[in-house]
């Protein structure tokens, strides 16, 4: 009797369990699976603020992709987002690439999520992450030897470390040292004789991680001004048939194209050329594609480069005309101020203020519509290397060639 009761108990228990748990239907989705992958960064090694970083995530192909890849970036630059996201499908894997340009130094963690679905309808999530450290930008500067600008040395330094590193000896640099993701570019005087107040120079580059200058011969040896913007080299040069020409070239190319003739000075600011016509001695602006050319000065106004250089700043242009009159003008051609009382050289014009340095190495600020001035900092006999108005600091060099920074 007890045996029969046990059999009946087991029988009804099985019926209860079968009713409580539904049978598995073939092809129904199971719980989500998770797979990993690898994440690589380019360039490798030292990466600086402002340098484009490319990430490549490699994920095993476990099914078809259901939706777009999701990226998250954690780091000091809170507004940073991934750009140029692409997914490349191969036989056994997916490659997901993207780019970003950090504007703040520090550690960044990149996380990628990608959803796939296999033949059985199972959802598979790929999770990949990795970290990269972004360094602050190197500051490059030229230190003349004992005050002689024909001989000197190029140094680089990170502001927070203040450890100047010698890059290369350099003879007679003129103008700025330009940076891009591959290296630095600068002009070195080819002929010490001035041509209408302008030196004829050769374009040199030093690649990151190296210390040997390389002359870019395609640009010639009679360059008179230089700008490097968005992967293009813009320069003016004196030709063999006694003309000045504005050229542009892709940074990684050795071919140059003519943008405009009769230009002996040009600089690029906010996607516009601002240039001097070597024939009519006027000041012009023009878009980088050669359109919308506009003359900013009157026909009676002549600017002679051999008397004074032209300065193009954030909000204004400064020059001296044929009557030796110092003029401050907006980028649209409106006269702002006669600067005859200015005793020094302009550093920047921005937000209604004029910043300039005097021969006694003091930095001043003055309102454009006022003659009152304010001394910001005094450097006595120290050599000023760079004045950055936007970030409110001045780099200056002591006699022992140590670099210092002061903020105001």
């Amino acid at each position: 009797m007890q045996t029969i009761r046990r059999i009946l108990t087991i029988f009804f228990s099985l019926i209860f369990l079968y009713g409580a748990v539904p049978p598995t239907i073939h092809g129904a989705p199971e719980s989500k699976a998770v797979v990993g992958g690898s994440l690589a960064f380019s360039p490798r090694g030292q990466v600086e603020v402002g340098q484009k970083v490319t990430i490549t995530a490699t994920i095993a192909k476990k099914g078809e992709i259901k939706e777009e890849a999701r990226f998250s970036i954690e780091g000091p630059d809170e507004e940073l987002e991934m750009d140029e996201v692409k997914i490349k499908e191969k036989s056994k894997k997916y490659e997901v690439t993207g780019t970003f340009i950090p504007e703040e130094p520090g550690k960044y963690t990149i996380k990628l999520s990608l959803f796939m679905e296999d033949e059985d309808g199972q959802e598979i999530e790929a999770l990949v992450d990795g970290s990269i450290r972004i360094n602050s930008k190197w500051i490059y500067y030229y230190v003349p030897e004992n005050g002689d600008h024909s001989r000197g040395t190029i140094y680089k330094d990170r502001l927070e470390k203040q450890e100047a590193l010698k890059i290369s000896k350099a003879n007679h640099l003129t103008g700025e040292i330009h940076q891009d993701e591959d290296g630095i570019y600068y002009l070195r005087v080819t002929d010490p004789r001035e041509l209408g107040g302008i030196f004829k120079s050769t374009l040199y580059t030093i690649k990151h991680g190296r210390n040997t200058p390389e002359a870019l011969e395609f640009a010639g040896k009679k360059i008179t001004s230089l700008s490097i913007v968005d992967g293009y080299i813009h320069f003016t040069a004196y030709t063999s048939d006694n003309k000045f020409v504005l050229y542009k070239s892709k940074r990684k190319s050795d071919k140059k194209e003519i943008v405009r003739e009769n230009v002996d000075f040009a600089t690029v600011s906010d996607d516009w050329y601002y240039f001097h016509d070597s024939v009519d001695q006027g000041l012009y602006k023009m878009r980088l594609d050669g359109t919308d050319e506009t003359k900013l000065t009157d026909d009676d106004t002549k600017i002679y480069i051999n008397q004074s250089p032209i300065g193009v700043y954030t909000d204004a242009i400064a020059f001296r005309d044929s009557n030796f009159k110092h003029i401050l003008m907006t980028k649209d051609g409106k006269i702002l101020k006669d600067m005859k009382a200015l005793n020094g050289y302009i550093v920047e014009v921005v937000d209604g203020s004029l910043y300039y340095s005097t021969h006694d190495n003091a930095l001043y600020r003055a309102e454009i519509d006022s003659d009152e001035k304010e001394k910001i900092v005094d450097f006595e006999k120290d050599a000023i290397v760079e004045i950055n108005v936007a970030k409110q600091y001045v780099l200056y060099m002591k006699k022992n060639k140590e670099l210092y920074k002061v903020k105001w």
Side-chain angles (χ1 to χ4, degrees):
M1 193 68 178
Q2 291 180 352
T3 302
I4 294 173
R5 288 177 180 173
R6 289 195 188 103
I7 293 172
L8 290 173
T9 301
I10 294 172
F11 175 77
F12 286 111
S13 296
L14 289 173
I15 293 175
F16 175 79
L17 288 173
Y18 185 82
V21 181
T24 300
I25 301 173
H26 182 71
E30 299 177 3
S31 60
K32 183 176 66 177
V34 178
V35 297
S38 62
L39 193 67
F41 296 91
S42 177
R44 298 179 180 178
Q46 297 288 335
V47 182
E48 298 180 2
V49 166
Q51 204 171 351
K52 179 185 282 190
V53 179
T54 300
I55 68 100
T56 301
T58 303
I59 300 165
K61 187 177 179 181
K62 298 293 185 180
E64 297 299 321
I65 295 176
K66 291 185 63 178
E67 55 187 66
E68 295 180 354
R70 300 176 184 176
F71 279 100
S72 67
I73 305 177
E74 300 175 0
D77 190 347
E78 296 179 354
E79 298 181 357
L80 194 59
E81 295 181 355
M82 193 69 68
D83 296 320
E84 302 176 299
V85 177
K86 298 178 182 178
I87 300 176
K88 188 174 183 179
E89 182 179 355
K90 296 190 175 181
S91 59
K92 296 182 180 181
K93 63 184 179 181
Y94 291 110
E95 284 187 353
V96 185
T97 59
T99 64
F100 63 93
I101 302 177
E103 297 298 335
E104 297 291 339
K107 181 181 178 180
Y108 289 81
T109 299
I110 314 299
K111 295 181 180 180
L112 166 65
S113 176
L114 183 69
F115 288 91
M116 297 175 281
E117 186 175 86
D118 65 14
E119 295 178 351
D120 296 327
Q122 183 185 38
E123 186 179 79
I124 302 169
E125 183 180 13
L127 295 174
V128 187
D129 64 81
S131 297
I132 184 173
R133 180 162 293 279
I134 304 298
N135 297 305
S136 59
K137 203 173 185 67
W138 287 107
I139 300 296
Y140 292 84
Y141 54 94
Y142 177 63
V143 180
E145 186 174 318
N146 299 322
D148 181 3
H149 280 266
S150 66
R151 293 180 296 174
T153 304
I154 297 176
Y155 289 86
K156 69 176 181 179
D157 202 342
R158 295 194 193 278
L159 295 181
E160 72 276 10
K161 293 186 177 180
Q162 295 185 348
E163 296 176 356
L165 299 177
K166 180 179 177 181
I167 299 298
S168 174
K169 285 288 186 181
N171 298 326
H172 212 154
L173 259 68
T174 179
E176 299 178 41
I177 296 177
H178 300 264
Q179 299 184 50
D180 76 354
E181 59 185 20
D182 286 341
I184 63 172
Y185 297 80
Y186 59 89
L187 294 179
R188 195 178 82 182
V189 175
T190 306
D191 186 346
R193 295 172 299 174
E194 291 182 277
L195 180 64
I198 302 175
F199 286 110
K200 292 177 288 185
S201 304
T202 301
L203 177 59
Y204 280 81
T205 183
I206 300 177
K207 301 299 183 184
H208 289 312
R210 303 179 185 177
N211 56 16
T212 303
E214 175 188 350
L216 300 181
E217 300 289 353
F218 80 92
K221 298 182 179 181
K222 299 179 180 180
I223 300 173
T224 55
S225 64
L226 172 69
S227 291
I228 298 180
V229 180
D230 295 335
Y232 277 86
I233 301 173
H234 309 267
F235 63 97
T236 56
Y238 189 65
T239 65
S240 57
D241 55 352
N242 302 324
K243 292 181 180 179
F244 286 103
V245 177
L246 170 61
Y247 297 95
K248 74 175 181 180
S249 170
K250 288 185 178 179
R251 181 173 43 80
K252 295 183 178 181
S253 171
D254 58 356
K255 297 181 180 180
K256 59 186 179 183
E257 61 178 280
I258 295 176
V259 178
R260 189 186 187 278
E261 295 186 347
N262 302 325
V263 180
D264 52 14
F265 164 84
T267 189
V268 176
S269 178
D270 297 329
D271 296 326
W272 287 82
Y273 288 114
Y274 292 87
F275 64 92
H276 179 254
D277 189 295
S278 58
V279 175
D280 74 4
Q281 307 298 325
L283 182 64
Y284 292 77
K285 75 174 185 177
M286 177 177 64
R287 295 189 185 275
L288 297 186
D289 61 5
T291 62
D292 294 339
E293 180 175 314
T294 305
K295 189 172 184 179
L296 300 177
T297 50
D298 297 332
D299 291 337
D300 295 337
T301 301
K302 305 296 181 182
I303 304 173
Y304 297 132
I305 295 293
N306 62 339
Q307 294 178 353
S308 177
I310 298 171
V312 180
Y313 308 100
T314 301
D315 292 341
I317 305 170
F319 59 90
R320 188 166 64 176
D321 64 17
S322 55
N323 295 320
F324 299 96
K325 187 176 181 179
H326 293 270
I327 301 296
L328 189 67
M329 169 189 289
T330 70
K331 289 183 174 179
D332 292 326
K334 178 184 176 181
I335 302 298
L336 289 172
K337 190 172 186 175
D338 178 358
M339 301 181 297
K340 61 183 179 182
L342 181 67
N343 182 23
Y345 69 90
I346 297 176
V347 174
E348 178 64 288
V349 183
V350 62
D351 295 334
S353 295
L354 173 71
Y355 296 82
Y356 64 97
S357 181
T358 57
H359 299 295
D360 60 355
N361 272 12
L363 177 64
Y364 291 88
R365 174 173 53 209
E367 298 300 313
I368 292 177
D369 55 2
S370 171
D371 292 330
E372 295 183 4
K373 64 181 180 180
E374 170 194 2
K375 180 184 284 190
I376 297 176
V377 64
D378 193 342
F379 295 94
E380 298 179 353
K381 295 183 180 180
D382 297 326
I384 294 176
V385 174
E386 177 186 344
I387 300 176
N388 191 314
V389 172
K391 296 185 178 180
Q392 294 186 315
Y393 69 76
V394 180
L395 294 177
Y396 64 97
M397 179 72 63
K398 291 283 190 180
K399 289 184 178 180
N400 58 5
K401 295 186 179 180
E402 288 185 353
L403 183 68
Y404 291 85
K405 180 181 74 169
V406 62
K407 293 183 72 70
W408 76 82

